[in-house]
Amino acid sequence: MHELSELPQLLTALPTSVVELGKLFDEAGYEISLVGGPVRDLFLGRISPDLDFTTNARPDDILRVIEGWADATWDVGREFGTIAFRRGKDQFEVTTYRADAYDGDSRKPIVAFGDRLEDDLVRRDFTMNAMALRLPALELVDPYGGLKDVRASRVMTPGTPEVSFTDDPLRMMRAARFTSQLGVDLAPEVEQAMTDMADQINRISRERVRDEIIKTIVGDYPRKGVDVLVRSGLADHVLPEVSALQLETDEHHRHKDVYQHSLQVLEQAADLESDAEGPVPGPDFVLRFAALMHDVGKPATRKFESTGAVSFRHHDMVGAKLTKKRMRELRFDNETTKDVARLVELHMRFYGYGDAGWTDSAVRRYVNDAGPLLERLHRLTRSDVTTRNRRKAERLAFAYDDLEQRIAALREQEELDAVRPDLDGKQIMEILGIKPGPEVGQAYKFLLEHRLDNGPVSPEEAAELLNTWWSERS
């Protein structure tokens, strides 16, 4: 965290083209300021990848000012007053002073251009984003105490939270996202307004809600962000399966707190991500969201047994279906939805390995079922251990170490990542003298099952097995 007196030193982190841009607009008779995240990040000691500016110039005026200076321009939202362009390696977005609001029913904002910087800043989501740096003078403009809130690690709105969230209910999701990205806390009045107005999030399109959920999950403090969503009641509307993990208190403590367990698994999964060169580069949304959702099938499957124990039979299968349904409602793409749901479905597959051990066949099937998700499944399974019993935790870790070693050994022997039958479709048709059709697929499946159970065989042995299967089938 940096003091205002350090601002001149902090400004050296900005590209020189920022001041050049300020001079262009000043000479043309317009105001322009660096605004929002880049200004906030200066005081957080972070370098923002985005350079956002605001001006009293209208979109056509902006284009005239940068003509000949910008190397390229493109339209990212001209109807909203935004012009994007590039100079050298630096990319800029300049937006006309504006005020976004919702009419109370529509999911799309109404846009009106403004003339004063202060009027533009009051319409921004949070005070820490309502600071501006006037150019080319490099004067800090902070009418709503953003720097004070940055220093206090606090999320507060420029006006009252109720007015801010009425103007744009998505700001409630952004508040949760900020706690995840920056590790900050909500001002009490902000959290209260979110709690009182949580149902207003239903005015916002599912796609925009989805994007905020993704940003929250991949933040540096995802547990904090998710807890804000649940605590405020927003999750009741956007991730009700996560809210439902708060099972009523079990006075006999026959099962752990499923909600807190899920948050811990999310946190531990994030810690197990690799660097950019590793098998699961972080932040990895698929792994993290699977960690959060892995037990969402438990509320529907909880059963108190006659022995006094509590069971959650088939919660993995139920959870996978619930996860897939929720992600489809939030308009996630098919591949991401399929991957997350598959991890939820597979997260219990490992348990029992340490007690009974697995045959080579079972290890092959584990790898085959996980497919390209294997490295994520390794991390999800390891992160699912939250027991305080050290001996139990060590036993599970040892068992999974052993499983990974066996996978590595079999992979070296058998090219396990690309398990295929020992004969392909063309060979199957030639040996059996059949044409393309369902029988080829059935034969292929038979040989794949044999390969998984027994490992690879020679083409001659595979042909003999195939002929025997075919004659018995006939």
Side-chain angles (χ1 to χ4, degrees):
M1 200 76 67
H2 296 278
E3 298 296 325
L4 185 57
S5 60
E6 298 177 43
L7 185 57
Q9 294 171 268
L10 299 175
L11 294 176
T12 60
L14 294 174
T16 56
S17 53
V18 169
V19 176
E20 290 178 20
L21 182 66
K23 289 179 179 177
L24 281 178
F25 275 77
D26 186 53
E27 290 167 0
Y30 297 109
E31 299 175 1
I32 189 169
S33 300
L34 184 67
V35 71
V39 180
R40 175 201 68 220
D41 286 349
L42 284 173
F43 293 101
L44 290 174
R46 295 154 45 108
I47 301 299
S48 177
D50 304 312
L51 292 173
D52 298 327
F53 301 82
T54 188
T55 179
N56 60 346
R58 298 309 193 247
D60 289 342
D61 301 324
I62 296 171
L63 287 170
R64 279 194 293 271
V65 171
I66 64 173
E67 186 178 1
W69 184 80
D71 296 327
T73 63
W74 57 93
D75 188 351
V76 295
R78 186 168 180 167
E79 69 273 24
F80 297 107
T82 300
I83 301 296
F85 51 95
R86 175 179 56 80
R87 179 172 171 83
K89 296 181 180 179
D90 302 323
Q91 293 188 8
F92 305 83
E93 281 193 9
V94 178
T95 302
T96 304
Y97 295 157
R98 65 185 184 180
D100 292 352
Y102 285 76
D103 65 9
D105 297 310
S106 173
R107 290 183 172 188
K108 294 185 177 180
I110 303 165
V111 178
F113 294 147
D115 298 303
R116 296 179 66 249
L117 174 60
E118 288 75 12
D119 293 340
D120 179 88
L121 295 178
V122 76
R123 306 299 297 187
R124 295 187 176 260
D125 50 9
F126 306 114
T127 56
M128 62 175 62
N129 288 339
M131 297 186 290
L133 199 62
R134 283 193 190 275
L135 302 172
L138 300 177
E139 171 197 351
L140 181 67
V141 181
D142 181 20
Y144 306 107
L147 184 56
K148 179 182 67 175
D149 288 331
V150 167
R151 288 170 173 163
S153 296
R154 177 174 57 218
V155 175
M156 184 55 194
T157 53
T160 66
E162 291 78 9
V163 170
S164 181
F165 297 154
T166 297
D167 283 348
D168 184 355
L170 191 66
R171 289 172 177 168
M172 296 186 289
M173 296 291 297
R174 289 197 197 113
R177 187 236 295 180
F178 267 58
T179 65
S180 171
Q181 290 180 329
L182 302 177
V184 295
D185 296 310
L186 302 181
E189 53 267 51
V190 168
E191 182 162 352
Q192 186 60 55
M194 289 167 64
T195 303
D196 294 341
M197 302 174 65
D199 64 330
Q200 293 299 302
I201 198 62
N202 295 316
R203 288 166 47 196
I204 303 299
S205 70
R206 297 294 91 180
E207 291 84 355
R208 297 182 73 203
V209 168
R210 173 204 63 209
D211 291 346
E212 290 299 324
I213 289 173
I214 292 172
K215 292 172 183 177
T216 300
I217 296 299
V218 300
D220 289 342
Y221 308 90
R223 178 175 189 158
K224 195 166 190 174
V226 171
D227 199 39
V228 166
L229 291 176
V230 172
R231 213 167 56 228
S232 65
L234 281 167
D236 294 345
H237 302 278
V238 301
L239 288 174
E241 297 80 7
V242 176
S243 294
L245 292 172
Q246 300 176 104
L247 301 176
E248 63 268 22
T249 302
D250 172 12
E251 62 180 347
H252 300 295
H253 301 290
R254 289 170 290 189
H255 65 79
K256 67 181 73 175
D257 184 322
V258 181
Y259 172 62
Q260 290 299 329
H261 163 75
S262 297
L263 292 184
Q264 188 175 347
V265 173
L266 166 61
E267 202 169 42
Q268 293 180 171
D271 289 340
L272 290 176
E273 291 167 340
S274 64
D275 59 22
E277 305 303 319
V280 185
D284 187 88
F285 174 78
V286 169
L287 171 62
R288 293 187 184 199
F289 200 55
L292 177 63
M293 302 292 282
H294 77 286
D295 274 348
V296 296
K298 280 190 172 180
T301 58
R302 183 172 65 160
K303 181 180 179 182
F304 292 93
E305 305 288 356
S306 58
T307 59
V310 178
S311 67
F312 300 96
R313 290 191 182 91
H314 307 302
H315 76 272
D316 44 355
M317 304 299 294
V318 172
K321 291 178 181 178
L322 290 173
T323 298
K324 188 177 294 184
K325 180 181 178 183
R326 176 55 46 198
M327 293 184 73
R328 284 175 175 167
E329 290 183 2
L330 289 168
R331 310 291 193 269
F332 276 92
D333 65 273
N334 290 335
E335 184 177 356
T336 303
T337 300
K338 179 182 175 182
D339 286 350
V340 173
R342 185 61 168 159
L343 284 172
V344 172
E345 180 183 345
L346 293 173
H347 83 273
M348 291 294 293
R349 188 70 64 89
F350 160 73
Y351 291 94
Y353 175 84
D355 297 327
W358 283 357
T359 62
D360 285 350
S361 169
V363 174
R364 291 189 196 98
R365 289 180 183 278
Y366 186 77
V367 174
N368 187 67
D369 289 347
L373 298 172
L374 182 62
E375 290 294 341
R376 288 183 173 117
L377 182 59
H378 286 335
R379 285 156 177 77
L380 175 59
T381 304
R382 288 185 180 277
S383 65
D384 195 21
V385 178
T386 61
T387 178
R388 294 181 181 179
N389 184 322
R390 193 177 73 176
R391 298 179 82 181
K392 182 179 179 181
E394 289 175 348
R395 186 173 71 251
L396 288 169
F398 177 82
Y400 208 85
D401 288 343
D402 184 64
L403 175 58
E404 287 203 58
Q405 289 167 9
R406 289 185 63 192
I407 289 172
L410 280 172
R411 177 181 283 124
E412 187 175 343
Q413 295 169 21
E414 305 177 8
E415 298 182 1
L416 204 54
D417 286 334
V419 172
R420 297 286 187 275
D422 298 291
L423 300 172
D424 60 25
K426 183 179 178 181
Q427 292 170 309
I428 290 171
M429 290 187 286
E430 288 177 353
I431 291 169
L432 298 181
I434 59 177
K435 295 180 179 180
E439 292 88 354
V440 179
Q442 293 164 9
Y444 188 93
K445 184 178 180 182
F446 160 74
L447 289 174
L448 177 60
E449 292 291 323
H450 188 277
R451 169 78 167 77
L452 290 170
D453 285 339
N454 303 285
V457 296
S458 68
E460 294 76 19
E461 290 176 289
E464 185 177 346
L465 287 166
L466 180 63
N467 281 318
T468 301
W469 171 81
W470 181 254
S471 63
E472 291 176 351
R473 178 180 180 280
S474 301

